[in-house]
Amino acid sequence: MVTGKVNAKILRAIEPEETEIAVEEAVRLLRAGEVVALPTETVYGLAANAFSPDAVAKIFKVKGRPSSNPIIVHVSSISMAKKCVRQWTTDAQKLANNFWPGPLTIVLPKSDIIPPIVTAGGETVGIRFPSHPVIRKVIDKCGFPLAAPSANISSRISPTTAEHVFKQLGDKIKLIVDGGPCAVGIESTVFDITSQPPRVLRPGIIHEESLFAALGRRIQPANSTDAQSGVLRSPGLLKKHYAPLAKLICMEWKTLDELMTNLKDLGCDPKYTRILAYSNLPQDLESWKTTLMPKTATAYARALYAELHRCDEEGVRWIIVQTPPHLPQWEAIHDRLRRAAAT
Ligand code: TXA
Ligand code: MG
């Protein structure tokens, strides 16, 4: 399947009847050991039977993913999660009570039922119970959990629509289930509770403060600003990730003059530049491509990858991002912007 060129079928799963057909087809392929792109509330995932090493190997091949990068296991119940881990702790239960189903991946010691290829040979497994009804239905009907990374070519921008998936993987997989645009828009928070204290390996829309509040603990001071070192503990979280093709630069500006001076210093050509403004979009920018981004962190997250995909489509060479606020709920967005800007 991975060798010969294929043309992915896109099945819509929005209305109940079409959803039933799409889910059935996805389940049929997954049972046959194939990979299928499925919607989740965060980003689209490239799913395979988590219990089948052969099926999971196809994910690595399709994405061009290094085998050292572990894959998250998606479940549709807490009892399924318990089967995948050696120990279901009280902390895990508290997190599940507060945030599942939803955009949180909990890292726990893996059970023997999870093949080593899923965890890149590691002793821990990331488990997520997504809230999107389509993937939940598919997992329920399969009866096995789904290993699923984001459905993009390794180190490119994660897809938040079925079209984004088609553009990157349309000639490599058989089926994309279209559940509409993702409601969250950036990847889940990855929270490792095997370490003491627990630590956020990848920030997401569920931020550190809420996680520690759910555990009834305070954040360790060293932990709160230690995003970089946390990142290193997660093999997949390389500095350059989620990268658009253009050069992305974050900057502040208060006036049009200030912005223009910056653009000139960088040598930006208006024809090949898109400006993602946050608070103010100065007037008189007719010759430049501009977007006024949403005001809240949740709406900004939902819009961000679609904007970056659009920049790739337009073939712009510079993406100028007005730095959003430095507040806890914006941490995941700063993280993704930092990675997109890394060269
Ligand atoms: O929102 C999401 O999490 C999406 C959707 C599809 O669920 N999935 C996703 O998967 O973003 P992926 O593979 O693109 O990113 C998962 C990240 C990787 O960087 C990986 O290294 C890390 O989580 N990860 C997975 N299992 C881990 C583990 N056992 N220990 C540490 N990090 C882990
Ligand atoms: Mg990814």
Side-chain angles (χ1 to χ4, degrees):
M1 170 208 146
V2 182
T3 43
K5 276 217 164 187
V6 280
N7 205 6
K9 182 162 61 173
I10 302 186
L11 289 180
R12 260 174 54 106
I14 313 256
E15 303 301 332
E17 258 172 51
E18 58 189 18
T19 300
E20 209 167 297
I21 294 166
V23 166
E24 228 164 78
E25 181 62 1
V27 172
R28 189 183 70 75
L29 287 167
L30 290 163
R31 284 205 179 122
E34 295 289 352
V35 298
V36 172
L38 296 172
T40 86
E41 71 279 20
T42 55
V43 300
Y44 276 70
L46 184 64
N49 179 353
F51 292 159
S52 161
D54 289 347
V56 174
K58 289 182 183 169
I59 296 178
F60 284 95
K61 196 158 181 187
V62 167
K63 277 187 62 105
R65 184 179 177 101
S67 59
S68 55
N69 191 358
I71 299 182
I72 294 170
V73 171
H74 298 66
V75 298
S76 60
S77 65
I78 291 182
S79 61
M80 194 184 266
K82 287 180 179 168
K83 290 195 185 113
C84 302
V85 304
R86 212 171 55 226
Q87 248 176 325
W88 183 255
T89 59
T90 43
D91 277 355
Q93 186 61 46
K94 283 181 194 165
L95 293 169
N97 290 345
N98 279 273
F99 305 109
W100 278 3
L104 172 66
T105 297
I106 309 175
V107 174
L108 283 160
K110 83 172 200 64
S111 71
D112 292 340
I113 205 170
I114 300 293
I117 187 173
V118 173
T119 61
E123 283 308 307
T124 63
V125 61
I127 307 278
R128 179 158 115 74
F129 181 170
S131 65
H132 199 292
V134 171
I135 189 168
R136 286 174 64 174
K137 272 200 193 93
V138 172
I139 302 169
D140 267 341
K141 292 219 164 159
C142 283
F144 48 75
L146 296 178
S150 49
N152 52 281
I153 301 282
S154 227
S155 91
R156 296 280 302 280
I157 309 162
S158 295
T160 57
T161 65
E163 289 70 32
H164 295 159
V165 181
F166 188 83
K167 279 182 192 126
Q168 289 195 39
L169 302 179
D171 61 350
K172 295 191 175 70
I173 61 176
K174 288 182 179 163
L175 177 65
I176 300 167
V177 177
D178 180 359
C182 300
V184 174
I186 57 171
E187 304 81 355
S188 63
T189 308
V190 177
F191 195 38
D192 181 358
I193 60 170
T194 65
S195 62
Q196 274 313 323
R199 54 194 298 166
V200 172
L201 300 181
R202 175 174 70 185
I205 219 71
I206 298 175
H207 53 84
E208 210 171 31
E209 275 84 345
S210 334
L211 293 167
F212 280 88
L215 295 180
R217 277 187 242 163
R218 268 176 207 274
I219 303 178
Q220 305 281 322
N223 225 24
S224 55
T225 52
D226 202 10
Q228 287 309 105
S229 66
V231 154
L232 295 175
R233 283 190 37 119
S234 199
L237 301 179
L238 309 170
K239 191 169 151 240
K240 183 179 168 68
H241 214 88
Y242 317 108
L245 302 172
K247 190 170 176 50
L248 185 145
I249 300 156
C250 285
M251 63 169 72
E252 323 251 1
W253 66 78
K254 295 222 160 46
T255 62
L256 179 62
D257 278 354
E258 201 181 331
L259 172 61
M260 283 301 142
T261 308
N262 291 344
L263 294 173
K264 205 170 148 210
D265 289 350
L266 288 164
C268 298
D269 176 340
K271 265 210 303 229
Y272 297 107
T273 304
R274 178 165 284 281
I275 301 167
L276 307 186
Y278 171 70
S279 62
N280 58 332
L281 193 56
Q283 303 298 305
D284 300 325
L285 275 172
E286 292 99 7
S287 51
W288 299 81
K289 302 178 201 303
T290 55
T291 307
L292 185 57
M293 295 296 283
K295 283 281 166 296
T296 66
T298 48
Y300 194 109
R302 197 178 304 132
L304 178 61
Y305 287 170
E307 277 304 314
L308 298 184
H309 280 287
R310 163 153 83 150
C311 290
D312 278 358
E313 290 269 289
E314 289 175 336
V316 301
R317 295 177 199 153
W318 294 270
I319 306 171
I320 305 298
V321 180
Q322 186 174 28
T323 310
H326 286 281
L327 293 168
Q329 62 270 33
W330 288 84
E331 198 200 323
I333 290 160
H334 285 289
D335 171 77
R336 301 311 188 273
L337 289 173
R338 261 197 310 274
R339 289 171 200 286
T343 49

